[in-house]
Amino acid sequence: MPQNEDLLILPDDWRATLHPRRGGTPGPLLELAPDAASTVQQWVKEMRDEIDYLLDNQQSRRDLAGSARAHMQGETNPQGAAVLAAVLAAEWFLGNDHEYGEEPYATFADAWIGEHGLVFAAEATVELSGVFVDGYEWRERKQWRHLRGRRLDKQDPCYNRGLDCLALVAARTRAFLAAADELEYQRVVEALGERRQDGMRRLAAAYLVPTQTAWVDELCATLPQLQPDTWMMVLRTMGSADHLATLLAGQSGWSWLDGRPGVLPTAVDGVGPALASTLATVADEETEIGRAPQELLRALGVLATDEAFRLLVDRLDRPHVHKAVIETARHFPGRAVRLLGKAAASGPAPISAHAVRLLRDHVAARPDVTAAVLPRLPAAVREVVESIDELAAGWVPEASAESLPRLLVEPPWTRERPTFKRVTVKGLQPLTVPGESEERAAIRALIPIALGKTGPQRFKAEASLRRIAAAEGEEGVLEVAGEYGVKAAKAAKTLLASDPLNDLPAEMPRREVWQDPYILPQVLLRENGLALPTDALDHIVSMLSISKPDKPYAGIDVVKEICDPACLAELAWRLFELSGLREQSYSAEERNWVLTALGLFGDDETVRRLTPVIRAWPGDGGHHKAVRGLDALLAIGTEVALMHLHGIATKVKYKGIRTKAQERINALAEEIGLSPEQLGDRLVPDFALDETGGTFLDYGPRGFTVGFDEQLKPYVIDDTGQRRASLPKPGVRDDQELAPAAYKRFATLKKDVRTVADEQLRRFERAMVAQRRWTAEEFRTLIVGHPLVWHVARRLVWITEDGRTLRVAEDRSFADLQDDELTLTETAWVGVAHPLQLSGNLEAWAEVFDDYEIVQPFPQLSRPTYALTEEERAGTELARFHDVTVPVGRLVGMERRGWQRGSAEDNGIQVSVLRELPGGAALVISLDPGIVVGDIGYWPEQRIERVWLNQGTDLSWRTESRPLPFSELDAVTASEVLADLVELTTVA
């Protein structure tokens, strides 16, 4: 046990980045670069032309230019040296060999110290804080570049790297000052006192000699709001609780405590224990916005006080805190016994439960410390510590190993096991036997897949065959397999004989430290409510780590069968938190299994936790993780999961992940309780356009308004009001950040709107054919109120349930056939009018659209219409289309008009195409020989055997057809299906 648990000692890795202060924790050993002066001289020589350009520029401040020339001519001039350093720093970023984060700016400090001494270096550093080289932009010099002063209360562009240069030079100079002898240090203080003329210089001087508490007091009391670089200098300067209190009252941006290396260690070294509450608050804020607070929490542990440790314990229910508590407990074991014991005895429910678990492990690891501390504990705390193993303060007792499946006690990867065999039989084609049982037909369909190419489909087929064999016996499976040949029979026998639990990777994944079962939530058994032992929990983690989205480890089904689902969901989420996958901005393929785990074990609460993370990931370079996150939501599959997936598809700002979400949503439209059409209404993005469909694109000195006309074709208007043929490319006078971004946005916008336009045309035509209706509110908000969709709506005739017809006028009002304003009641339903519904008004509406020169988006008023004969209306088939031969491509192409291919029979052939009709009926076309799944062109021509109306869409050889008379169809539906059939069978 340490002699003094109240001693603040910075970790070794923190000392490496510490900005030391005189009398504080020593920094790394210092040694001047021997060639620093010659290196700087060479830089000046190489950049002399650019230096002269800036010094000669009449816009440059004369005192700065004069000081620089004096220094170059041999005069010892701190301001001149600072000006040269600022110029060279601005130029450094333009070089081809520069590397961000590796800038050699600290060389200036070594050169100044080596040539002129520490007093000069400190003076030059303070002067450097007041120099700004204006006129540098991203990898570019401007002709108007010049020297001017830097102000503390102004936000300067960062392209000249001036503040980066100041930070590195000042840090190097401060380190030497902290180690200087007293006489030289006082000479520096005296010299700097004469140079504190403005805010920047006062900041630099206080930073260099933070022992001058009066300077720091003045600085903290008079600070304006700062940009991050200067604010971090202040954080490295403060040196007392009073400084902290003053800054807390007037400054924001405390997340920058963990902004760059060295800020946090230096603040802890300067302020000490008084920083604890601020660290805890900032850690909470960082956690809330999804940023990792580990170092802030670690800093709480370093502070070596009861208050700081208590702040950690109070947060044991939050991410990353356990690790900080465990680390702190190793350094301060006596304090850990006292405060974990107190939290276990009297803390709130979630905290006390975590504290008990940590205390139990800590007591077991340090019995010597526990024995020494125990007599001094309050009675209630002592009682908890003494009985920690037996009571465990609410932790559920563990089940015995004997009561668990062998998988959770001695899994295959921990023992000798048979080699798992997977035999492939090439060339198997599906066989069919008419009239056999459904079960036998299923086995026959599965055999070629289960013995075929390795992949997701085979894995599913293997599992299906094993389930059938387990339920009905192996004989039936092996008998059917034998009909495929001897090789297939042997392969099937091998498949059924191989234990899928032995299907393991050649080498189990390396276990990482965070995969510790002791910091995972307990998992309870369904049968008796006991908890799994920690070893069993560890084995579940191993199963998850080898599971893939398309091939979960077979043991996962066993786990889900015997364990409580909510516990498994909590386990998966805790693994996700501990993995660090949330915070990492780089790809970590070896940890992506935790997302698969969320999909396998997750529940609705998992969905609510995961969705904000998915939304944020693309902005941190985590697109691929976000896509895997979508698959986790899809695998969870609950209504809540699908709801959140839908939200990402419609509202997330990152196009890549939005597109991936939309792909999944489209496939799931029927399953979430909305029709695809209803879902489509809510998926149309507005692309941040205003209500007219326009937006302003900022080029800096000029700008353009862009929008889309009634045909959703783009237009551009410049800032003089003139319409242009296209958006111009950015020029040299345009803002080099704004203009390229605006130009790119417009190019992307045009593509996106084209996609939206195509989809909306198809969607409204489908709505007309299906006679779909919107409520008045839906019509106003989702269609007329949408900045793009309303343009399409303007070009159509609409009809209400009571037969009133209207169009959408230019001002978004509604006009009837006589061009009088029409008011929709709140109870009205509105749809796209079919020409058959316009009766005697069809020609009149056509004249209105001609007069207004409205071009319709698809044939509506000019749409050809058809009618059934009386004989056809009375019958169940359309004989006029029978025995007609059509190309298979034309049949497949009908899918664009709402037709779908029938289900594949056991031999993989689709022998019908059908179109679902209102009321649940289906128009069915029987085909001969049928469409081969996966090889559409196998039979390039198809003969229409018959066309009939069926009651229902579930058609296969196992179900009987239920014909309906065509009189069941309304006139619009009949016209549309006849139009499809005419188009299909008409020779081009």
Side-chain angles (χ1 to χ4, degrees):
M1 185 171 178
Q3 294 296 316
N4 185 357
E5 288 199 2
D6 297 326
L7 187 62
L8 193 161
I9 300 175
L10 295 187
D12 290 342
D13 60 318
W14 275 20
R15 291 183 60 186
T17 61
L18 176 70
H19 295 217
R21 65 184 63 229
R22 195 169 188 80
T25 302
L29 294 176
L30 297 172
E31 185 177 345
L32 286 174
D35 60 346
S38 60
T39 298
V40 173
Q41 291 168 6
Q42 180 63 30
W43 290 345
V44 171
K45 183 178 178 180
E46 293 173 356
M47 291 289 106
R48 185 57 186 263
D49 289 345
E50 180 54 29
I51 292 171
D52 288 340
Y53 178 91
L54 284 163
L55 300 185
D56 291 341
N57 192 318
Q58 292 303 306
Q59 287 184 278
S60 291
R61 228 173 68 181
R62 291 297 88 203
D63 61 322
L64 297 178
S67 294
R69 289 213 178 277
H71 189 69
M72 286 192 295
Q73 291 167 5
E75 179 182 316
T76 303
N77 190 309
Q79 187 181 60
V83 171
L84 294 178
V87 174
L88 292 173
E91 285 291 316
W92 176 261
F93 203 58
L94 300 179
N96 293 328
D97 59 347
H98 83 276
E99 186 173 347
Y100 185 77
E102 300 296 330
E103 296 87 349
Y105 301 148
T107 305
F108 296 124
D110 283 30
W112 297 339
I113 296 170
E115 274 195 296
H116 307 292
L118 197 51
V119 174
F120 177 92
E123 291 179 309
T125 301
V126 170
E127 293 300 329
L128 178 61
S129 71
V131 179
F132 184 78
V133 187
D134 208 348
Y136 282 79
E137 297 192 2
W138 180 254
R139 305 299 301 274
E140 182 182 4
R141 305 183 190 98
K142 295 297 185 180
Q143 290 185 349
W144 47 267
R145 60 192 182 279
H146 61 283
L147 301 171
R148 63 172 175 84
R150 183 191 299 278
R151 293 181 52 171
L152 186 60
D153 60 348
K154 297 294 183 183
Q155 177 84 34
D156 286 327
C158 61
Y159 295 128
N160 67 7
R161 320 306 296 175
L163 289 174
D164 287 340
C165 179
L166 174 63
L168 292 173
V169 170
R172 185 73 169 166
T173 304
R174 170 167 158 164
F176 277 97
L177 282 168
D181 62 58
E182 185 62 27
L183 180 59
E184 188 168 28
Y185 189 79
Q186 290 304 321
R187 289 175 56 214
V188 169
V189 171
E190 183 178 348
L192 296 187
E194 299 176 1
R195 294 182 180 270
R196 299 175 60 253
Q197 298 99 333
D198 56 43
M200 278 304 305
R201 289 176 174 83
R202 284 192 290 272
L203 168 58
Y207 166 84
L208 290 174
V209 287
T211 55
Q212 293 300 108
T213 55
W215 293 3
V216 183
D217 292 344
E218 178 190 9
L219 176 72
C220 293
T222 59
L223 282 176
Q225 287 297 315
L226 303 176
Q227 56 187 308
D229 295 86
T230 48
W231 174 231
M232 284 186 285
M233 284 189 72
V234 173
L235 294 176
R236 296 183 184 110
T237 302
M238 60 180 181
S240 70
D242 289 341
H243 295 156
L244 176 64
T246 302
L247 292 172
L248 284 171
Q251 296 294 318
S252 57
W254 287 89
S255 63
W256 288 103
L257 274 168
D258 195 21
R260 288 185 183 172
V263 178
L264 186 56
T266 306
V268 169
D269 185 55
V271 177
L275 195 59
S277 179
T278 301
L279 290 173
T281 299
V282 176
D284 290 345
E285 293 171 350
E286 294 293 272
T287 301
E288 286 297 318
I289 62 175
R291 289 207 292 248
Q294 289 99 319
E295 285 299 293
L296 295 161
L297 297 170
R298 184 186 181 197
L300 277 171
V302 170
L303 290 178
T305 66
D306 282 8
E307 179 199 5
F309 193 83
R310 192 178 297 111
L311 286 168
L312 283 174
V313 173
D314 289 345
R315 289 161 172 75
L316 277 173
D317 58 342
R318 303 181 191 184
H320 308 295
V321 177
H322 281 78
K323 183 176 180 180
V325 171
I326 292 170
E327 181 179 355
T328 305
R330 285 200 300 266
H331 293 296
F332 309 113
R335 175 175 288 118
V337 173
R338 287 190 294 107
L339 298 184
L340 284 175
K342 182 177 180 180
S346 59
I351 303 304
S352 62
H354 289 299
V356 164
R357 186 71 172 270
L358 291 170
L359 180 62
R360 183 186 67 182
D361 294 345
H362 183 65
V363 167
R366 297 303 304 268
D368 56 330
V369 173
T370 304
V373 172
L374 199 60
R376 302 194 299 270
L377 296 177
V381 177
R382 184 169 62 250
E383 182 180 354
V384 168
V385 175
E386 288 176 333
S387 60
I388 192 66
D389 288 332
E390 296 80 17
L391 299 178
W395 286 88
V396 177
E398 295 181 351
S400 65
E402 293 76 15
S403 67
L404 300 176
R406 187 185 185 191
L407 172 68
L408 294 179
V409 179
E410 192 184 17
W413 57 88
T414 65
R415 53 181 165 81
E416 292 292 328
R417 62 185 183 276
T419 301
F420 183 83
K421 296 181 180 179
R422 180 171 275 116
V423 180
T424 298
V425 182
K426 297 181 179 180
L428 293 182
Q429 297 296 323
L431 301 175
T432 58
V433 176
E436 68 180 346
S437 69
E438 182 174 344
E439 179 185 297
R440 196 173 180 87
I443 296 172
R444 192 177 303 282
L446 289 169
I447 290 292
I449 304 172
L451 304 181
K453 183 179 178 180
T454 300
Q457 295 304 316
R458 171 166 179 160
F459 301 146
K460 293 177 182 178
E462 288 176 347
S464 296
L465 286 179
R466 289 192 185 102
R467 281 195 293 270
I468 293 173
E472 305 295 337
E474 296 182 359
E475 295 79 8
V477 174
L478 296 176
E479 182 180 339
V480 175
E483 297 177 19
Y484 282 90
V486 175
K487 289 184 178 180
K490 290 181 177 180
K493 187 174 183 179
T494 299
L495 186 156
L496 296 180
S498 298
D499 187 348
L501 297 179
N502 293 330
D503 187 5
L504 299 169
E507 185 176 347
M508 293 293 286
R510 179 180 62 86
R511 288 173 50 83
E512 299 189 58
V513 175
W514 53 268
Q515 295 176 35
D516 182 356
Y518 288 96
I519 59 174
L520 295 175
Q522 287 187 301
V523 171
L524 308 185
L525 295 167
R526 289 177 186 258
E527 183 179 11
N528 54 27
L530 296 177
L532 290 177
T534 52
D535 286 346
L537 201 55
D538 195 24
H539 297 326
I540 294 177
V541 175
S542 295
M543 295 181 210
L544 292 170
S545 71
I546 60 174
S547 293
K548 307 294 182 186
D550 54 5
K551 187 191 175 189
Y553 176 64
I556 294 295
D557 287 339
V558 177
V559 172
K560 293 171 76 171
E561 181 179 347
I562 68 172
C563 294
D564 178 73
C567 293
L568 293 176
E570 192 61 29
L571 168 66
W573 184 255
R574 186 63 176 145
L575 287 168
F576 173 65
E577 287 186 325
L578 292 171
S579 73
L581 198 62
R582 180 207 297 239
E583 296 84 12
Q584 291 167 351
S585 60
Y586 53 87
S587 177
E589 288 294 325
E590 70 278 4
R591 296 186 181 182
N592 279 333
W593 63 265
V594 298
L595 292 172
T596 302
L598 292 177
L600 291 170
F601 287 166
D603 58 11
D604 286 347
E605 183 59 27
T606 307
V607 172
R608 298 184 185 100
R609 291 169 166 178
L610 182 59
T611 300
V613 180
I614 296 173
R615 288 177 173 275
W617 264 338
D620 295 325
H623 171 79
H624 295 295
K625 291 190 297 184
V627 173
R628 288 179 179 268
L630 295 180
D631 290 333
L633 296 182
L634 195 61
I636 293 170
T638 64
E639 289 184 359
V640 172
L642 299 181
M643 177 186 70
H644 281 277
L645 185 61
H646 171 270
I648 293 172
T650 57
K651 295 181 181 179
V652 75
K653 64 181 178 180
Y654 304 108
K655 180 181 177 182
I657 196 63
R658 185 174 68 245
T659 299
K660 293 296 184 181
Q662 288 171 348
E663 291 173 358
R664 288 152 175 80
I665 280 293
N666 290 340
L668 293 170
E670 288 187 36
E671 299 179 25
I672 63 175
L674 292 174
S675 70
E677 290 77 16
Q678 288 175 315
L679 190 58
D681 290 337
R682 292 156 177 83
L683 284 176
V684 184
D686 62 15
F687 304 115
L689 301 173
D690 61 29
E691 65 177 7
T692 67
T695 190
F696 181 75
L697 298 179
D698 190 3
Y699 271 38
R702 58 179 177 156
F704 304 89
T705 298
V706 301
F708 298 86
D709 62 20
E710 67 275 7
Q711 297 186 40
L712 296 185
K713 293 181 179 179
Y715 64 82
V716 178
I717 299 175
D718 63 23
D719 45 16
T720 67
Q722 297 297 312
R723 184 177 284 245
R724 302 178 64 112
S726 62
L727 187 69
K729 292 183 177 180
V732 294
R733 296 183 179 180
D734 293 321
D735 187 287
Q736 296 305 298
E737 281 191 41
L738 294 176
Y743 187 82
K744 182 178 180 181
R745 189 199 172 201
F746 187 54
T748 303
L749 188 60
K750 289 190 293 184
K751 294 178 182 178
D752 289 340
V753 171
R754 278 199 299 269
T755 302
V756 167
D758 292 342
E759 174 56 24
Q760 297 317 299
L761 302 189
R762 290 192 295 269
R763 192 159 67 91
F764 282 133
E765 186 171 18
R766 289 196 300 266
M768 178 187 70
V769 171
Q771 303 172 70
R772 183 189 170 200
R773 297 294 182 261
W774 288 265
T775 66
E777 177 64 19
E778 288 174 330
F779 184 60
R780 292 190 188 98
T781 58
L782 299 176
I783 297 176
V784 180
H786 194 282
L788 295 173
V789 178
W790 87 286
H791 285 304
V792 181
R794 284 180 55 200
R795 298 155 59 198
L796 296 169
V797 177
W798 298 80
I799 191 168
T800 64
E801 282 289 285
D802 58 5
R804 293 183 296 164
T805 55
L806 61 113
R807 67 180 180 89
V808 180
E810 294 78 3
D811 60 356
R812 283 189 166 91
S813 64
F814 307 130
D816 63 17
L817 185 58
Q818 287 72 40
D819 241 5
D820 295 327
E821 184 171 352
L822 183 147
T823 301
L824 287 178
T825 65
E826 292 301 317
T827 59
W829 290 76
V830 185
V832 182
H834 190 275
L836 289 177
Q837 297 168 330
L838 295 175
S839 59
N841 294 328
L842 181 62
E843 292 184 2
W845 271 115
E847 289 181 12
V848 170
F849 274 50
D850 285 342
D851 291 341
Y852 280 96
E853 298 181 343
I854 298 173
V855 178
Q856 293 208 286
F858 57 81
Q860 182 194 25
L861 299 176
S862 61
R863 193 178 195 84
T865 58
Y866 300 85
L868 295 164
T869 66
E870 287 301 316
E871 182 180 356
E872 288 171 336
R873 283 181 55 78
T876 60
E877 298 184 4
L878 297 178
R880 56 170 140 161
F881 301 107
H882 292 180
D883 293 320
V884 178
T885 299
V886 297
V888 68
R890 193 178 294 177
L891 276 167
V892 174
M894 292 177 69
E895 292 176 11
R896 293 192 298 271
R897 300 178 63 85
W899 291 74
Q900 55 185 297
R901 283 177 270 170
S903 59
E905 306 300 336
D906 287 342
N907 55 6
I909 298 175
Q910 297 163 319
V911 295
S912 64
V913 294
L914 63 145
R915 174 171 171 173
E916 186 174 358
L917 302 177
L923 184 68
V924 186
I925 303 175
S926 293
L927 304 173
D928 179 42
I931 302 172
V932 178
V933 176
D935 189 5
I936 292 173
Y938 188 83
W939 286 306
E941 292 188 337
Q942 300 287 329
R943 182 177 66 86
I944 298 176
E945 285 188 323
R946 67 187 184 117
V947 178
W948 87 96
L949 189 63
N950 189 69
Q951 182 179 345
T953 59
D954 183 19
L955 293 172
S956 72
W957 63 271
R958 300 185 187 91
T959 59
E960 294 183 1
S961 62
R962 294 176 292 171
L964 291 172
F966 277 90
S967 59
E968 294 284 328
L969 300 184
D970 61 80
V972 169
T973 303
S975 177
E976 291 299 320
V977 297
L978 287 171
D980 287 348
L981 292 169
V982 169
E983 181 178 335
L984 173 66
T985 57
T986 300
V987 178

